[in-house]
Amino acid sequence: MKMFQPRPLPFTYQQWANQPFHQRIRMLCTAWTLQGYGAPATVYIFYLLKIILYVAGWIVFCSFSNHLGGIETIASWWFHPEALERFILWSILFEVTGLGSGSGPLTGKYFPPFGGLLYFARPGTIKLPLFPGIPWLGRDERGWLDVTLYLALLFFLLRALVSPVLSSQMVLPVIVLIPLLGVLDKTIYLAARSEHYLIALFCFLFPGEEIAALKWVWIAIWWGAASSKLTRHFPAVVCVMLSNHPLLRWEWFKKQLYIKYPDDLRPGKLAHFLAHLGTFLEYTFPILLLLGSGGPLTLAGLVLMSIFHLHITACVPMGVPLEWNVIMVYGAFVLFGYHAEASVFTLHSPLLIALLVVSLFIVPLVGNFYPKGVSFLLSMRYYAGNWAYSIWLFRGNSEEKLDKYIKKSTPTVMKQLSRFYDEATSQMLVSKVIAFRCMHLHGRLLQLLVPHAVDNIEHYAWRDGEIIAGIVLGWNFGDGHLHHSQLLRAIQKRCHFAAGELRCIQVESEPLWHGYMEWRIVDAHDGLIKQGRVSIKELLTLQPYGAAG
């Protein structure tokens, strides 16, 4: 059926396959500029239905409350702080079971479309402990302790959500279990979106101060994200996202995003203008919400905020954090709309203030200036384009070892796609991920590093580290640290790749305003091959595809 087929490319598979590698990359990048990933209509229906499920689940859980109600009385209770608290609890449950961010076809999960629960509740799967190697807590294989604590988290989340009265005693076990699970497996901690939801839950432990504290959480996320866009990476993100916009079909507009389509695919003046405009808006509407007291300033801030998040959601970014954008909008209307009178300067509990300062200011600050030590989520570098990433190069059919030796619920991506498409279509869908990576500023580095990583790229299968993390760990959401050396060591321990059989290119984020990115080339068997750093100025001169193109 047509609705299950991806958008047709401007060339046939045979025309593309007969070209040398650098020319294939150029063809894919040029195609991306006008049609993005080109996902079939059913993909967007899938994500729309998931948002409906997300909102419906929140309404159902609110109906259990003595203070709230069902959908028929929603106008009388949607603004209640408990409704927001239940939404946060439901969001954590939604995320840690794998239903939220990092799910579905746009994250390399075709069948099954979810990871999460299928991995986190299964002994023997790979995990990434915070302190690898230490007794009990440092194993890279999920055991019964991990599974028991994870299932306990699900139990306490559900217990709180169906409870008629949502007390601190109901929420406290969740607040304790998430960091504990994070020590055992960083993946679960990040999947819970702890930089947002965990901090927000902590705020509810301080009655009378929770509204002011939550306002700081929302403001910090907006301003943190805006600050991370003050780099030369973000205009390329604008190009990639708008080219991939499922509703924006104006090819003449998309061409204007680039310097000179199709000969120069670097961001043009329009992309730079839109990048600056987006950053300006993300700084401005929180100021309006802070200054407003329910009047015109508040209304203007809420309108701009809604447009901002609606735009992000409509772009359907590849990490698909769609539900997160929903709760950001809802939370803004509750906190800054209905409770506009609550001042952010009414905090007085030292413990709460200390937590907010550390989590909302110090950790993001460290993460931006020392990115190799902090996840981009904890650093609040959303959508900025300045992300760590990795590329995994498998010689011949060596990728099949992942299916043979690793316990997991999801097969390799080509096997997933073979359920729905022929070989040619599957190859094109996987290869479009290469274009996605190369179109970002950080991806231009790959044309310099691939020749140092392998002798002949034609003998290797190119897989983005995001795809590998989704298959092996059960969750992926743009955090390159999840698929750097720690995961490579865990995979090598099980698969025993021979020298040269698996090479990984690992690229770290640019420390804010430092003007360089560090990189490493690692062989699964032999270890580090080469490392260095590249100037951002040099990347700005390069096209997304190789110079030979």
Side-chain angles (χ1 to χ4, degrees), residues 96 120 142 150 153 181 185-192 194:
V96 297
F120 304 155
R142 187 165 280 106
Y150 172 71
L153 174 63
L181 281 164
D185 184 7
K186 295 180 289 187
T187 313
I188 297 179
Y189 184 84
L190 296 174
S194 300

Side-chain angles (χ1 to χ4, degrees), residues 51 54-63 65 67-70 73-91 161 166 196-197 200 204 211 214-215 218 222 285 289 298 301-310 313 321-340:
I51 291 177
Y54 176 63
V55 176
W58 166 66
I59 294 173
V60 168
F61 286 123
C62 285
S63 69
S65 171
H67 305 105
L68 305 177
T73 58
I74 192 171
S76 66
W77 57 259
W78 69 268
F79 50 82
H80 197 287
E82 185 182 323
L84 177 57
E85 187 174 11
R86 286 181 183 265
F87 213 162
I88 291 170
L89 286 165
W90 167 229
S91 297
L161 286 167
L166 193 56
H196 181 185
Y197 301 144
F204 284 103
I211 297 297
L214 288 167
K215 284 186 175 184
W218 257 248
W222 286 321
F285 68 72
L289 295 175
T298 297
L302 290 174
V303 169
L304 290 176
M305 178 276 305
S306 299
I307 293 173
F308 179 83
H309 281 285
L310 181 61
T313 304
L322 307 182
E323 295 81 12
W324 178 77
N325 279 281
V326 171
I327 196 172
M328 285 296 294
V329 172
Y330 167 72
F333 273 92
V334 172
L335 299 171
F336 299 95
Y338 193 85
H339 296 280

Side-chain angles (χ1 to χ4, degrees), residues 258-292:
Y258 303 91
I259 291 179
K260 187 180 180 182
Y261 172 88
D263 301 316
D264 192 336
L265 299 184
R266 293 173 297 171
K269 292 181 179 179
L270 177 60
H272 281 84
F273 169 75
L274 293 175
H276 295 319
L277 176 62
T279 305
F280 174 76
L281 288 176
E282 200 168 11
Y283 274 123
T284 301
F285 68 72
I287 295 176
L288 296 177
L289 295 175
L290 280 173
L291 297 178

Side-chain angles (χ1 to χ4, degrees), residues 138-168:
R139 299 174 65 240
D140 61 12
E141 181 176 300
R142 187 165 280 106
W144 284 108
L145 174 62
D146 306 270
V147 172
T148 300
L149 290 176
Y150 172 71
L151 293 177
L153 174 63
L154 301 188
F155 167 79
F156 284 112
L157 284 167
L158 283 169
R159 186 185 71 154
L161 286 167
V162 301
S163 173
V165 178
L166 193 56
S167 63
S168 298

